[in-house]
Amino acid sequence: MKSIFRILVAINLLLSITTSNAQIKNQKVEQVKVFGNCEMCKEKIEKAGNVKKLSKVDWNSITGMATLNYDSKKTNADEILKRIAAVGYDNEKFLAPDTAYKNLPNCCQYSRVSKTETNQTIKMEISGNNKVDLTQNMNQLEIVYENYFGIKDALVKSDGNTASEMATTLLSSINSIKMENLKPDEHIVWMKVLNNVKEDTQHIADSKDPKHQRDHFDTLSKNIYDLMKVSKTEKPTYYQFCPMANGGKGANWLSKDNAIKNPYYGSMMLSCGKTVETIKK
């Protein structure tokens, strides 16, 4: 009886999603990174992005990825992301106003990315003709790093599916880099590591097997490390090492946390390793 009930609930949920999406004409679907922490964030992000028959947002609190469904003849991803930023949530294109971020509950105040030296202020209109100043100043390399951390977190859980999804997102952010906006030292390293970074990321994206993904995560980590050494991040990043990985030769990875969570063995040897370097400004 319980099984039948669960099936009916699942069918109703699927029908409701299908009906909701079917109401949106000229539908276009995109996936973007939106920063947040919890289910309360999910509610606020989706509420800001959803407009009946115009746009629908589905945000994943684990991956931080938002799926945007919208009528491409009446709106676009930028307009949706502006509304999301206006209620306090940074995303790939727009930073939230500081006041909006500070008004979020403590549990929703995610770690913000650093601001670049070049800021572009965008005037935008929200419903009710309320104008909001939004600063678009997200360091484009920060997006690359965030997606790398997403792969790392997935491998800690031995979740090959999510690692593949995050690698696909990483490829998108890599291809979106505007090299003319990189600093000279960043540009030199970027050109040096680019082909290898793309190759390793593509391998991780094409596979659902954590073992194969980890083989390429090793070399991907080395190249991201080289890049981060010259670009650095607003908050410290920890370069960590597992002596058991890579057939006993050892392997490194980067983490936003000093606590060891091993992406090469997951729960088998979660705390195996040590921090060998702290990268900071």
Side-chain angles (χ1 to χ4, degrees), residues 135-149:
T135 304
Q136 184 182 3
N137 51 14
M138 183 175 290
N139 184 329
Q140 55 183 339
L141 290 178
E142 290 283 352
I143 299 296
V144 171
Y145 300 148
E146 284 296 326
N147 290 324
Y148 164 86
F149 291 133

Side-chain angles (χ1 to χ4, degrees), residues 96-236:
D98 289 341
T99 52
Y101 173 80
K102 291 176 182 178
N103 285 334
L104 293 175
N106 289 336
C107 66
C108 294
Q109 292 188 358
Y110 51 89
S111 297
R112 304 192 79 182
V113 297
S114 63
K115 297 182 178 182
T116 59
E117 295 176 358
T118 304
N119 296 332
Q120 178 183 359
T121 299
I122 298 175
K123 301 288 185 179
M124 71 177 202
E125 291 189 6
I126 306 299
S127 58
N129 296 320
N130 294 323
K131 290 191 175 182
V132 179
D133 288 344
L134 192 63
T135 304
Q136 184 182 3
N137 51 14
M138 183 175 290
N139 184 329
Q140 55 183 339
L141 290 178
E142 290 283 352
I143 299 296
V144 171
Y145 300 148
E146 284 296 326
N147 290 324
Y148 164 86
F149 291 133
I151 297 173
K152 186 268 295 181
D153 290 342
L155 291 178
V156 167
K157 300 175 183 177
S158 298
D159 184 349
N161 289 328
T162 300
S164 175
E165 292 174 4
M166 293 306 304
T168 300
T169 306
L170 175 55
L171 276 175
S172 178
S173 61
I174 290 169
N175 291 329
S176 298
I177 291 290
K178 295 180 180 179
M179 289 185 286
E180 65 272 17
N181 292 338
L182 295 175
K183 298 175 184 177
D185 51 350
E186 292 174 340
H187 188 276
I188 292 171
V189 177
W190 180 254
M191 293 305 296
K192 179 182 176 182
V193 305
L194 179 58
N195 289 337
N196 289 333
V197 165
K198 291 179 73 172
E199 180 180 354
D200 285 324
T201 304
Q202 188 68 64
H203 273 278
I204 297 172
D206 290 343
S207 175
K208 301 292 192 300
D209 177 14
K211 183 180 184 303
H212 179 74
Q213 292 170 331
R214 284 163 173 153
D215 289 340
H216 289 276
F217 184 72
D218 177 16
T219 48
L220 173 64
S221 296
K222 292 176 182 176
N223 286 308
I224 294 294
Y225 166 79
D226 288 341
L227 185 61
M228 194 176 287
K229 284 285 286 184
V230 296
S231 69
K232 297 187 171 55
T233 55
E234 190 71 19
K235 293 187 176 181

Side-chain angles (χ1 to χ4, degrees), residues 210-279:
K211 183 180 184 303
H212 179 74
Q213 292 170 331
R214 284 163 173 153
D215 289 340
H216 289 276
F217 184 72
D218 177 16
T219 48
L220 173 64
S221 296
K222 292 176 182 176
N223 286 308
I224 294 294
Y225 166 79
D226 288 341
L227 185 61
M228 194 176 287
K229 284 285 286 184
V230 296
S231 69
K232 297 187 171 55
T233 55
E234 190 71 19
K235 293 187 176 181
T237 301
Y238 303 95
Y239 195 45
Q240 300 174 330
F241 177 74
C242 170
M244 303 291 291
N246 194 21
K249 296 178 183 178
N252 293 87
W253 72 94
L254 292 151
S255 175
K256 292 192 288 186
D257 301 310
N258 193 25
I260 299 296
K261 292 184 179 179
N262 193 317
Y264 295 106
Y265 290 102
S267 60
M268 291 176 61
M269 289 191 286
L270 186 62
S271 59
C272 177
K274 63 181 180 178
T275 296
V276 294
E277 183 180 350
T278 302
I279 304 170

